[in-house]
Amino acid sequence: MRFNVDEGLAWIAEHPEIRDVLITGGDPLLLSDDKLEYLISKLRQMPHIEMIRIGSRLPIVLPHRITEGLKKAIGGFHKVPVWINTQCNHPKEITEKTAKAVYDLLSCGINVGNQAVLLKGINDDVDTFRELHQKLLRTRIRPYYVFYCEPAPGIDHFRTPVEKGAELIRDAIRGHTTGLAQPMYVLATNIGKIPLMPDYYIVDKNEKEYTLRNYKGEITKIPNIPE
Ligand SMILES: *Cc1c(COP(=O)(O)O)cnc(C)c1O
């Protein structure tokens, strides 16, 4: 089997500070079951590896890839869990076949989350944004991240203002539906991810009390108790 990962695996094996391995870039689930099994089993043999993550759009765009063979290759009870984070950006991308594929992954012990990208004209209105996250939960997929759409050639028409994602969490998710539907909105920068969450909660603070606002604009106060 030609599969050029041994150098990378050897490097991870020599670095006990690595707890978490994320396999992504291209789409790892396009690898054969044999290659995936090789990679996952080698990682699982390293005592310092606590979890393995796979970034793949295939549960959404090619749910037929979730086969018995794949489940055998990467699933099953093991002290090192596998997470698959998929990318679904619109509720219409989720079909019955995706729902069955996700159920099959969960049934063999693989956790499934979602990382979406905020796209102007696609998912940047309140109704679509809420429906996307509620439908992910109905499909047993836990919303994880929503990314700001980075500048890249040819996609300028999809980019929203930076604040848009936080506004959508404020106006479509928080308080309007369960907190399980709430992703973290992040901006990927050269110094790492910056969370940009809604910022309306603390209206005022003094020595006596905090003044707090909820998603409906209602105001309440709680005492500021000294530590
Ligand atoms: C940052 C990042 C991840 C991993 O994020 P964690 O905070 O480690 O969970 C996965 N995918 C993409 C595209 C990222 O930018």
Side-chain angles (χ1 to χ4, degrees):
M1 182 167 66
R2 264 191 73 225
F3 190 33
N4 185 19
V5 288
D6 289 336
E7 217 178 305
L9 287 169
W11 192 88
I12 295 170
E14 285 161 18
H15 286 78
E17 70 275 22
I18 297 175
R19 300 172 32 254
D20 171 3
V21 176
L22 170 53
I23 305 165
T24 187
D27 199 307
L29 293 188
L30 291 175
L31 293 170
S32 67
D33 294 348
D34 285 350
K35 285 180 176 172
L36 284 166
E37 184 165 21
Y38 179 83
L39 196 51
I40 301 286
S41 66
K42 291 279 178 197
L43 288 168
R44 279 179 158 166
Q45 284 160 22
M46 299 179 195
H48 53 287
I49 298 305
E50 296 174 16
M51 66 169 178
I52 300 166
R53 294 188 288 170
I54 295 173
S56 171
R57 236 172 100 69
L58 295 201
I60 302 297
V61 298
L62 193 65
H64 316 72
R65 176 66 186 94
I66 314 306
T67 57
E68 287 303 314
L70 179 76
K71 293 192 302 182
K72 271 239 290 292
I74 68 176
F77 180 74
H78 195 285
K79 77 177 176 12
V80 182
V82 172
W83 283 86
I84 290 182
N85 278 321
T86 194
Q87 188 202 128
C88 174
N89 298 321
H90 193 283
K92 283 187 181 162
E93 287 191 295
I94 302 174
T95 62
E96 278 299 310
K97 290 198 164 102
T98 287
K100 178 62 167 59
V102 171
Y103 176 79
D104 287 347
L105 288 170
L106 293 168
S107 299
C108 73
I110 298 169
N111 305 286
V112 184
N114 190 62
Q115 303 186 176
V117 179
L118 185 61
L119 299 169
K120 185 152 120 193
I122 304 290
N123 59 15
D124 70 335
D125 65 283
V126 165
D127 290 342
T128 306
F129 196 80
R130 186 187 301 131
E131 175 58 11
L132 169 62
H133 290 96
Q134 290 180 335
K135 192 165 180 185
L136 285 167
L137 284 183
R138 292 206 292 281
T139 313
R140 304 178 168 81
I141 302 175
R142 173 70 161 93
Y144 180 34
Y145 282 137
V146 168
F147 289 95
Y148 169 67
C149 182
E150 304 295 314
I155 61 163
D156 282 352
H157 57 297
F158 285 129
R159 203 163 61 247
T160 65
V162 166
E163 293 85 351
K164 189 71 188 185
E167 288 168 15
L168 284 164
I169 288 172
R170 181 192 66 198
D171 298 339
I173 308 279
R174 183 73 267 168
H176 305 277
T177 190
T178 171
L180 279 170
Q182 185 175 312
M184 172 139 7
Y185 175 54
V186 291
L187 184 60
T189 76
N190 61 329
I191 54 165
K193 287 191 181 64
I194 309 287
L196 284 167
M197 297 296 278
D199 178 25
Y200 59 83
Y201 312 108
I202 298 185
V203 178
D204 194 23
K205 172 194 172 180
N206 59 37
E207 276 132 57
K208 260 181 52 215
E209 60 194 11
Y210 287 86
T211 305
L212 303 173
R213 180 184 289 138
N214 74 2
Y215 74 105
K216 291 180 181 165
E218 295 165 343
I219 300 289
T220 190
K221 291 176 193 292
I222 61 161
N224 183 0
I225 301 160
E227 279 176 48

